Amino acid sequence: GKSRASGLGEEGLLLLGGKIPWQEVREEFLMSARVLYFVEGWGLGGVESVIMDIVRSAAFQSEGYSFDIFCICDWNNGYDDEIASLGGRRITVFPGERPGIKDKFLSGMRGFKRLLESGQYDIAHINVTNGLGLVYADLARQYGINSRIVHSHNTYFDNPGYCIWAKRAGHAIGKILYSSAPTQRIACSQQAGEFVFGRRPFQVVKNGIDVNRFAFNLRDRVDTRSSLGIAPDVTLIGSIGKLNKRKNPLFQLRTFAEYLKHHANARFLMVGDGELGQQVDILAHELGVSDALIRVPSTPSPEKYYSALDALIMPSLTEGFGLVAVEAQCSGLVVLASEALPQDVAVTNTYRSIPLSSGEAAWSVALEDLLSLPRRRAEAAASIRGTSLDRDTMASTIVNIYKIDNKADK
């Protein structure tokens, strides 16, 4: 359906389908503490999941915060109804488009400035994937936002072959020019913090999940497998995530083809969209596994698929954190991942990481070994509940940073 988020206009702010005059926006903002989230692109990824987990948390709600989410571009509106139900707004400069690097940067800066002019925010939570994102913290500083939290989610450059020289230059320049703009620096992992902040001090706040949501559900397993045409005795292996180079979906498929040679009663479920979707279909045909492959589009409700699966593989080339691995373990799944994922995500004895250089045949053998382990799926969630990987813990930690930083003298 049509996105509920809209762009930035001259006369007013176009939000969730309606135009609001600038003055009315200012007056409404003055009623409560206001948080502005910045994220470059909006879909159904890990950063979006973290933001949603914060704003829907009891810790956030109890403080009476209002919030806006600003993104430069978007490609999925699956969260928009929930954002509206929570009293939030999502603003995008390029709805349903993916602009080039130059347009993204220049128009993104202009759009962000216009939003900052609309009203006085108390807190800016800037979610970045590289050093150039620090410029948005500096813009927030220029417009008088005293609390500027920069949150690093990345350890690499997206699409490394695409204008990599420009990305590296922007990353380096941003770190030099705007490193002092944040009032607080946080990162999803040690590596992500070092990537964006270098030697500057930062706090690691691990990405958390909604334990109740991702706990194994037998009814979901039965219903979802039935809807997919998967018999109860079939071993269902799968992946959940974007079909792009860094998620390595072609390696996933080749690993499954190896596994299928020795286990004919198996199927592969691939949940996600992306630029490699067509290549996935072509390779499946070449490997002779098309009949065993099930493709499902990206979804804001992946929990039912975790319950339906028996194993999840993540041969990622790079990962900022790897939240999908935690969600899968919460559901009691066997998880086989590459060494690109930080060890922070290994929380159960059904998780294993091996090098990609081992090859698909070795991955297939490792998958066999993991699937032979005894599992009590209904008990898996208990190993995450109350830990630093629990959404409630993560949200409480971040809201506490908001409270402390917003009260500090700047």
Side-chain angles (χ1 to χ4, degrees), residues 71-382:
C71 49
I72 300 173
C73 55
D74 65 22
W75 48 89
N76 195 293
N77 63 354
Y79 286 125
D80 282 359
D81 286 339
E82 185 179 4
I83 291 169
S85 73
L86 292 168
R89 306 175 173 116
R90 185 170 70 80
I91 309 103
T92 184
V93 180
F94 295 99
E97 299 180 43
R98 298 202 187 207
I101 290 178
K102 182 180 177 182
D103 283 345
K104 184 189 293 183
F105 182 69
L106 296 178
S107 297
M109 293 240 310
R110 283 196 296 268
F112 197 61
K113 287 178 181 178
R114 282 197 59 77
L115 183 59
L116 293 173
E117 290 168 357
S118 72
Q120 186 179 15
Y121 290 95
D122 298 290
I123 300 163
H125 185 153
I126 312 293
N127 295 273
V128 303
T129 56
N130 58 64
L132 192 57
L134 290 164
V135 70
Y136 292 94
D138 191 64
L139 289 175
R141 178 190 61 78
Q142 292 176 35
Y143 282 87
I145 300 180
N146 288 328
S147 182
R148 304 177 297 276
I149 294 104
V150 174
H151 195 164
S152 173
H153 296 270
N154 227 347
T155 60
Y156 54 86
F157 294 105
D158 284 319
N159 299 320
Y162 180 64
C163 294
I164 187 64
W165 61 270
K167 291 181 178 181
R168 285 178 175 158
H171 176 65
I173 291 169
K175 290 170 69 174
I176 293 169
L177 296 181
Y178 308 116
S179 61
S180 62
T183 54
Q184 294 289 331
R185 302 173 187 85
I186 59 178
C188 64
S189 67
Q190 185 69 26
Q191 297 93 324
E194 292 170 355
F195 181 68
V196 171
F197 305 126
R199 296 183 179 180
R200 294 258 180 175
F202 60 88
Q203 179 178 350
V204 173
V205 181
K206 296 176 186 176
N207 293 348
I209 65 166
D210 182 341
V211 175
N212 291 333
R213 176 185 172 197
F214 291 104
F216 176 71
N217 185 301
L218 181 59
R219 175 46 55 193
D220 279 351
R221 178 177 176 85
V222 172
D223 291 348
T224 304
R225 288 174 75 102
S226 175
S227 69
L228 296 171
I230 303 295
D233 63 336
V234 168
T235 300
L236 188 59
I237 301 161
S239 64
I240 296 179
K242 295 176 184 175
L243 303 186
N244 59 20
K245 183 176 179 180
R246 73 179 185 88
K247 295 297 185 182
N248 215 357
L250 304 184
F251 188 98
Q252 296 171 18
L253 207 53
R254 288 193 293 266
T255 297
F256 173 69
E258 289 291 330
Y259 184 86
L260 195 62
K261 291 177 183 177
H262 309 286
H263 305 275
N265 197 29
R267 298 290 182 272
F268 194 85
L269 174 65
M270 193 174 279
V271 180
D273 306 300
E275 61 265 25
L276 294 184
Q278 189 174 3
Q279 289 188 45
V280 165
D281 292 335
I282 292 170
L283 180 60
H285 177 74
E286 292 174 353
L287 294 172
V289 300
S290 294
D291 291 342
L293 172 65
I294 303 165
R295 293 272 308 278
V296 174
S298 297
T299 172
S301 304
E303 56 270 20
K304 64 181 181 180
Y305 294 111
Y306 289 122
S307 290
L309 288 169
D310 297 299
L312 182 124
I313 59 174
M314 291 185 68
S316 304
L317 298 177
T318 55
E319 283 286 349
F321 186 74
L323 201 60
V324 165
V326 180
E327 294 169 352
Q329 288 172 89
C330 186
S331 187
L333 276 177
V334 160
V335 178
L336 181 62
S338 72
E339 294 179 326
L341 279 73
Q343 279 303 303
D344 293 340
V345 304
V347 290
T348 68
N349 63 359
T350 58
Y351 178 93
R352 185 177 301 172
S353 64
I354 61 173
L356 287 171
S357 58
S358 299
E360 293 89 337
W363 272 63
S364 173
V365 172
L367 194 56
E368 282 185 52
D369 292 343
L370 280 171
L371 283 165
S372 69
L373 294 174
R375 283 166 288 151
R376 294 181 177 177
R377 294 190 63 172
E379 300 175 9

